[in-house]
Amino acid sequence: MNILELRNIGKQFPGSTDWAVKDFNLTIEKGEITALLGESGCGKTTVLRMIAGFETPTSGCIYLNGECVSDDKTFIEPQHRQVGIVFQDYALFPHKTVWENIIFGLFRLSAEEVKQKAVKIIRICGLEGLEKRYPHQLSGGQKQRVALARAMAPEPRIILFDEPFSNIDSKMKTQMREDIRQIIHKTQATAVFVTHDTKDVMAIADKVSVMKQGIALQIGKPEDIYKYPVNAYVADFFGKTNLMMARVSEKGFITPMGLIEVDNIEAEPNKMVTVSIRPEQLKVLPEGKGHMVGKIIKERFFGEYKELTCIVEDHDNKKTEIIIYASPGYQCKSNKCYFEPNNNSLNILND
Amino acid sequence: MTQKKFLSNISSLKNKLLLTNPWISSTLIIASLISLPLIIIFLNIANDGGDTWQHIVKNLLPTYVTNTIILMLGVALLTFIFGVSTAWITSVYDFPGRKFFSWALILPIALPAYISGFTWAGILDYASPVYIFFRTYLGVETGQFLFFNILSLPGAIIILSLAFYPYVFLITRAWFTRQSSSVLEAAASLGRQPGSVFFKVALPLARPAIVAGISLALMEVLNDYGVARYYGVDTFTTGVFTAWFSFSNPASALKLSAYLMVFVLILIATERFQRRKLRFDITGSSYRPLARKRLNKKQTLIATLICAIPFLLGFLFPALMLLYWSYFTFSIVVDARFWELLGNSFLLAFLASVAVVILAMIIAYTTRSFPEKTVRFMAKVATLGYALPGAVVAIGILISFLWLESFLASAFNTAFRIAITGTWFALIYAYVVRFMAVGYNSIESGMQRISKSVDEASLSLGASRMKTLLKINTPLLSGSLISAALLVFIDVLKELPLTLILRPFNFDTLAIRAFEFASDERVAEAAPSSLIIVLVGLVPVLLLNKIMGTTEKQN
């Protein structure tokens, strides 16, 4: 069943003629972790706040558990939505202890149930022993887990995260992502989070909506979007890629690197199209092998791989810069790099 | 296009269910009740004032106009001189007395103008210990008053300026200390002398701040009744009293109140116009606080002298005089009736401050939760009272209550009379109108320091807005709430014109008692009541000093 459904959501802030969010659609099933990805100002946080009920959509409908919570006539206030939210600044109540923060949303239950639920969520979130502390006595990671525990304690229908990892240093991030993913799965919760970091998406999202200027460009599994981005913006946003123009031929695509053979060509012959090839889809070969060659102009060592920036020339001597990932131990004898693309590694973009 | 825009606005209002929202409708009710006195006054401006009004227009109005204008011009000039010179000296120079004067110069705020007024008249009076000293030891003899007749228009200008220059000092000083040093250093590096830097760069830059300070001072001048009456200067405010009490002509009192409002509106407009220029004056990210220049001995002497004059005349001398008188009259004045008076004043001030704080909380929380244009406008209306002279508020409320009473009397039967006028309710209502801005500003700035997501976290956990306000905002705001209540408490305690008009029969407050003693030529007996008002008034000034001290350390 769909836990959440957004139908043609639009938001226009007073005094602005632009749409902060336009015709936005999203359906989320129970247990899914969904990411809203985009640069700052793309409208992703506005979508999140509309789900929570802190912003009123200018148009469109929002359904929670099949029940309409916002359309032209209805507007359910945030306190009646049963939507949990973990804020970017955590928004812990500074005058309440960890325990008091966590039980704040449990006021409808009996004292016995409150205790039971709070103890359980404290254990799940690994906060044992911190119950009596005040927010200012906690580390950043602990604060976030308290915020998470507080949001999850009343067992909301859906839990929202606003930039959950942006305030955490990069060393802690990996651990935090794993923790949050586990907690969400352990409690069989449904979650939506907003981020500008593709790594967050790859690490924990089941589904992602890539946004730009208030519009959803592509929705799907992170892996699919990585492999088959619809346009240059998505391709570029989702990690490094080589974008180039190519001519459609009978066997495949004629790119500045040379001919790349493709099994099913879904394009008219002789048409010029934009294609994207991920750097790791280009395989470095021993010297002299393969039919593609580039002149190395830059090498960068990244630990698990080496990034090569090469110049390739087509028949008209037109130069194009491409990026290839080589093994970390790659040593170049001349300044030439021989390579070939993996099968079916090329992706046609819409524009 | 505009048509479409308009429609979309309506639908967004419908979405928010504007009027069925209890917060917004409460704010609307509060704002309407607060603006009621003002609306009543303007609705009745065209009423016929009869012969009395003819008499006032012909014989008194010209005096009111000239006196009020001269008073305002004089106070503007003197507060400018006192306020700006001391603000400049204490913010750009370093000398032994700087820290002391930075807060000592604010102290006159704790001394209400009318108290300072009759105290100074007493100090310079023929029978005062000061005059006796001058007469016996120095042989100075200058008639009824020492040096000059202080009970005059120039005397009133000096007294009001000494009482209100701290507004100019505070705002201008905050402005100077916030200025980045680079602008002034640039002027100096271009070869300008310090005096030239001040007049050509610092002063023009600070103009919006100075104008803001002076307009606050002038609003207080328009509000003043005590000094003008005691010094025999007929102004619009005293005119309202004359029309009401002496001529018993409400229509004339209303008309004079309306005229008084014209002065207020001109002041507000001037201040707003100047403030628009403030925007491009704010320094950017390259902020560097002023490095204070050390003064040599001779310069220190001059700086100390300039700062000492307003402090000594505006606070220390009158305060010492009050202490001296209190010492002698304490045993006569402080009797059972005095304690009753004290209790009355404190209870009244307490009730008013609780009312203001509760209503201000509702308005502040509504604007925070629903920051719509209409809601913010309501908040603006609700805080307009600070600009209304007390006499205007009182007349507006009195007239509306008299109507309400006669309406109720005729609607039910004459035996069933509810007397609202002349009750504590009318007084507290008036205080809420007049001092809402004081409480609201304090609470609002406190709320801005709480992250909005804290409220949202509470709502998302299922707590109602009321519960959020009580359980989350209120504990976090406790400091601001206390300071709001304290500021209103003090304002009510020293309030004079409004209380004089609206007080219940035979009901006195400390302020009224002090003023009545002084008016009966029993200045010394007015001292104990005055002293209590001054002492309570000192509390926020000392707190302010502490706050200023900590921010200075942080810088």
Side-chain angles (χ1 to χ4, degrees):
Chain A
M1 191 185 69
N2 290 337
I3 287 271
L4 174 74
E5 187 178 351
L6 305 183
R7 238 182 256 165
N8 299 319
I9 290 295
K11 176 69 186 179
Q12 208 176 13
F13 285 104
S16 163
T17 48
D18 297 331
W19 289 83
V21 174
K22 205 175 175 198
D23 287 332
F24 189 85
N25 288 289
L26 185 68
T27 48
I28 293 171
E29 281 171 39
K30 189 159 170 47
E32 260 185 339
I33 302 179
T34 308
L36 303 175
L37 175 72
E39 295 165 332
S40 56
C42 73
K44 55 192 194 299
T45 300
T46 308
V47 171
L48 199 78
R49 292 175 60 79
M50 286 193 285
I51 298 172
F54 298 130
E55 301 283 354
T56 325
T58 314
S59 61
C61 325
I62 300 175
Y63 296 88
L64 270 170
N65 272 357
E67 170 203 351
C68 171
V69 294
S70 174
D71 64 11
D72 286 348
K73 291 180 209 75
T74 347
F75 184 78
I76 306 283
E77 294 270 346
Q79 59 268 39
H80 304 304
R81 288 200 183 184
Q82 293 178 43
V83 171
I85 180 161
V86 178
F87 290 90
Q88 188 175 0
D89 60 359
Y90 314 133
L92 298 178
F93 306 133
H95 60 304
K96 290 182 183 285
T97 61
V98 169
W99 176 267
E100 288 166 340
N101 264 283
I102 290 171
I103 64 166
F104 187 83
L106 301 174
F107 55 92
R108 288 196 183 83
L109 307 178
S110 69
E112 189 53 38
E113 285 173 301
V114 167
K115 200 177 164 204
Q116 204 184 331
K117 286 219 168 156
V119 167
K120 188 178 158 204
I121 198 75
I122 284 171
R123 185 171 40 75
I124 291 174
C125 294
L127 291 165
E128 292 108 325
L130 301 176
E131 292 91 339
K132 290 206 177 87
R133 294 224 193 145
Y134 282 92
H136 68 266
Q137 298 166 315
L138 301 174
S139 72
Q142 287 168 336
K143 277 184 199 162
Q144 181 165 47
R145 273 179 292 160
V146 175
L148 179 62
R150 182 181 68 179
M152 299 198 48
E155 291 167 13
R157 299 194 262 205
I158 188 163
I159 178 159
L160 311 175
F161 295 84
D162 189 6
E163 298 275 5
F165 308 110
S166 64
N167 282 344
I168 293 180
D169 54 61
S170 56
K171 214 177 156 191
M172 282 285 294
K173 246 184 211 176
T174 327
Q175 181 62 39
M176 228 37 233
R177 284 185 192 126
E178 197 43 49
D179 286 356
I180 286 191
R181 189 182 165 82
Q182 288 215 351
I183 292 169
I184 293 172
H185 279 300
K186 225 184 267 176
T187 51
Q188 294 174 319
T190 313
V192 179
F193 73 99
V194 149
T195 182
H196 59 264
D197 189 346
T198 354
K199 292 206 185 87
D200 295 341
V201 175
M202 300 291 191
I204 65 175
D206 300 315
K207 188 175 7 188
V208 56
S209 172
V210 187
M211 294 181 68
K212 189 190 177 191
Q213 289 172 358
I215 294 167
L217 298 175
Q218 193 171 5
I219 300 179
K221 284 186 186 162
E223 204 184 314
D224 291 346
I225 294 184
Y226 183 82
K227 277 189 192 153
Y228 312 112
V230 290
N231 63 23
Y233 181 83
V234 176
D236 197 44
F237 203 81
F238 250 79
K240 285 197 170 154
T241 193
N242 295 303
L243 297 172
M244 57 194 78
M245 297 298 288
R247 181 185 299 281
V248 183
S249 78
E250 286 163 14
K251 285 183 179 169
F253 294 88
I254 301 163
T255 70
M257 300 183 290
L259 176 75
I260 298 177
E261 291 184 21
V262 171
D263 296 343
N264 309 316
I265 302 165
E266 291 164 355
E268 295 167 41
N270 273 333
K271 200 185 158 195
M272 291 299 286
V273 291
T274 311
V275 296
S276 145
I277 302 168
R278 298 281 177 195
E280 68 272 19
Q281 296 293 354
L282 298 171
K283 199 162 56 194
V284 178
L285 300 171
E287 200 145 338
K289 294 261 173 91
H291 68 284
M292 291 179 183
V293 63
K295 196 173 127 200
I296 300 173
I297 56 165
K298 208 159 65 184
E299 277 188 44
R300 288 280 179 276
F301 182 67
F302 278 96
E304 54 267 39
Y305 62 89
K306 208 174 222 180
E307 184 186 291
L308 308 175
T309 309
C310 306
I311 300 267
V312 292
E313 272 181 43
D314 63 7
H315 299 301
D316 307 327
N317 292 336
K318 215 178 107 197
K319 288 173 180 165
T320 308
E321 217 175 270
I322 60 161
I323 294 169
I324 305 172
Y325 291 164
S327 64
Y330 175 79
Q331 289 292 332
C332 179
K333 290 177 192 88
S334 61
N335 62 348
K336 287 212 169 86
C337 171
Y338 295 86
F339 62 95
E340 66 177 21
N342 291 336
N343 288 338
N344 298 322
S345 58
L346 174 145
N347 186 46
I348 309 170
L349 302 177
N350 282 345
D351 48 300
Chain B
M1 178 60 204
T2 37
Q3 178 89 21
K4 225 171 143 189
K5 190 91 204 291
F6 180 65
L7 286 176
S8 86
N9 276 344
I10 285 185
S11 73
S12 88
L13 290 186
K14 196 178 68 191
N15 272 344
K16 283 261 158 74
L17 307 165
L18 200 60
L19 284 176
T20 57
N21 179 312
W23 295 94
I24 296 178
S25 46
S26 328
T27 301
L28 180 66
I29 292 169
I30 298 169
S32 321
L33 286 177
I34 286 178
S35 53
L36 182 71
L38 189 62
I39 293 168
I40 295 283
I41 282 171
F42 279 109
L43 282 181
N44 290 284
I45 194 168
N47 277 7
D48 183 27
D51 292 341
T52 315
W53 178 242
Q54 293 309 320
H55 163 71
I56 290 175
V57 170
K58 218 174 130 202
N59 301 315
L60 300 173
L61 202 59
T63 322
Y64 293 163
V65 175
T66 37
N67 276 350
T68 305
I69 288 176
I70 294 174
L71 207 56
M72 287 172 76
L73 289 177
V75 172
L77 182 70
L78 271 188
T79 50
F80 173 80
I81 293 172
F82 288 149
V84 177
S85 63
T86 51
W88 175 253
I89 288 172
T90 54
S91 43
V92 301
Y93 297 121
D94 201 8
F95 59 101
R98 185 187 67 82
K99 275 213 169 130
F100 169 75
F101 282 120
S102 299
W103 71 273
L105 281 162
I106 312 167
L107 288 175
I109 272 190
L111 189 72
Y114 59 91
I115 293 180
S116 157
F118 61 67
T119 309
W120 268 110
I123 292 175
L124 300 179
D125 187 80
Y126 196 80
S128 90
V130 181
Y131 203 163
I132 291 170
F133 173 83
F134 271 78
R135 206 162 42 221
T136 20
Y137 296 98
L138 307 174
V140 179
E141 178 100 39
T142 53
Q144 192 203 341
F145 287 102
L146 188 59
F147 304 133
F148 79 116
N149 178 11
I150 193 168
L151 295 184
S152 60
L153 184 56
I157 290 175
I158 294 171
I159 293 301
L160 291 172
S161 304
L162 285 172
F164 302 138
Y165 82 86
Y167 292 112
V168 183
F169 170 76
L170 269 175
I171 298 179
T172 314
R173 185 169 189 276
W175 176 259
F176 282 144
T177 42
R178 227 179 37 228
Q179 278 297 311
S180 178
S181 58
S182 51
V183 185
L184 302 179
E185 282 166 3
S189 74
L190 292 168
R192 291 287 191 172
Q193 292 298 314
S196 170
V197 172
F198 174 72
F199 284 109
K200 299 269 168 164
V201 183
L203 206 54
L205 274 177
R207 196 180 55 188
I210 297 170
V211 171
I214 291 179
S215 31
L216 273 179
L218 293 185
M219 276 180 194
E220 291 289 345
V221 169
L222 291 175
N223 177 52
D224 170 75
Y225 167 73
V227 174
R229 173 51 45 98
Y230 198 83
Y231 280 50
V233 181
D234 290 328
T235 61
F236 270 105
T237 309
T238 61
V240 172
F241 275 79
T242 310
W244 185 264
F245 286 114
S246 307
F247 299 146
S248 305
N249 188 311
S252 302
L254 269 173
K255 279 176 191 287
L256 285 172
S257 301
Y259 278 107
L260 187 49
M261 280 313 297
V262 173
F263 282 91
V264 173
L265 291 177
I266 292 172
L267 261 184
I268 294 178
T270 320
E271 204 267 330
R272 282 280 146 84
F273 179 72
Q274 285 290 327
R275 200 192 305 184
R276 275 202 319 211
K277 299 183 177 168
L278 227 114
R279 248 178 283 143
F280 53 74
D281 288 335
I282 286 168
T283 43
S285 52
S286 60
Y287 170 81
R288 205 151 35 85
L290 292 170
R292 294 201 183 84
K293 200 182 140 218
R294 275 211 82 82
L295 295 182
N296 62 31
K297 277 209 176 120
K298 198 178 139 206
Q299 292 165 324
T300 301
L301 192 70
I302 297 169
T304 310
L305 206 65
I306 294 176
C307 293
I309 289 171
F311 164 66
L312 294 178
L313 301 186
F315 184 78
L316 196 64
F317 288 167
L320 288 176
M321 199 65 201
L322 284 175
L323 263 175
Y324 174 80
W325 281 328
S326 299
Y327 177 74
F328 285 107
T329 56
F330 187 81
S331 51
I332 317 166
V333 179
V334 180
D335 49 12
R337 176 131 171 73
F338 182 84
W339 294 115
E340 191 196 319
L341 198 70
L342 190 72
N344 269 350
S345 292
F346 275 44
L347 184 60
L348 189 65
F350 173 76
L351 290 176
S353 49
V354 168
V356 166
V357 165
I358 290 173
L359 297 176
M361 277 256 277
I362 294 174
I363 302 174
Y365 187 69
T366 309
T367 40
R368 175 181 172 86
S369 306
F370 312 98
E372 312 271 324
K373 244 187 203 156
T374 38
V375 178
R376 274 181 300 196
F377 176 74
M378 287 181 223
K380 278 241 170 72
V381 171
T383 51
L384 217 111
Y386 80 97
L388 307 183
V392 175
V393 174
I395 296 291
I397 286 179
L398 207 48
I399 302 271
S400 8
F401 278 12
L402 287 175
W403 276 357
L404 191 64
E405 274 176 22
S406 65
F407 168 78
L408 288 175
S410 61
F412 299 99
N413 65 57
T414 36
F416 182 76
R417 263 193 88 104
I418 303 171
I420 324 171
T421 49
T423 60
W424 283 41
F425 177 76
L427 260 183
I428 289 172
Y429 178 21
Y431 291 141
V432 168
V433 172
R434 173 117 172 92
F435 300 126
M436 179 57 88
V438 176
Y440 177 80
N441 290 342
S442 170
I443 291 172
E444 212 261 333
S445 66
M447 274 205 184
Q448 274 178 1
R449 282 198 297 272
I450 305 174
S451 162
K452 241 182 173 171
S453 47
V454 171
D455 293 31
E456 291 173 352
S458 165
L459 290 175
S460 75
L461 292 166
S464 66
R465 286 193 195 275
M466 183 56 102
K467 188 175 174 188
T468 305
L469 177 59
L470 293 179
K471 292 260 167 128
I472 304 298
N473 293 78
T474 308
L476 293 177
L477 270 175
S478 51
S480 306
L481 295 177
I482 291 169
S483 75
L486 186 68
L487 290 174
V488 175
F489 186 90
I490 287 153
D491 267 331
V492 171
L493 204 64
K494 65 184 189 192
E495 212 290 330
L496 189 64
L498 193 155
T499 320
L500 272 176
I501 297 179
L502 285 177
R503 64 177 164 158
F505 180 69
N506 239 350
F507 173 85
D508 280 346
T509 62
L510 283 177
I512 289 181
R513 177 52 64 88
F515 188 68
E516 279 177 353
F517 268 135
S519 302
D520 295 346
E521 303 287 322
R522 294 156 76 185
V523 179
E525 283 158 73
S529 311
S530 309
L531 203 61
I532 291 176
I533 296 176
V534 175
L535 288 177
V536 177
L538 279 176
V539 175
V541 180
L542 297 177
L543 287 179
L544 188 72
N545 171 45
K546 209 179 139 200
I547 295 165
M548 283 202 336
T550 41
T551 45
E552 206 156 274
K553 255 180 233 153
Q554 280 162 1
N555 286 344

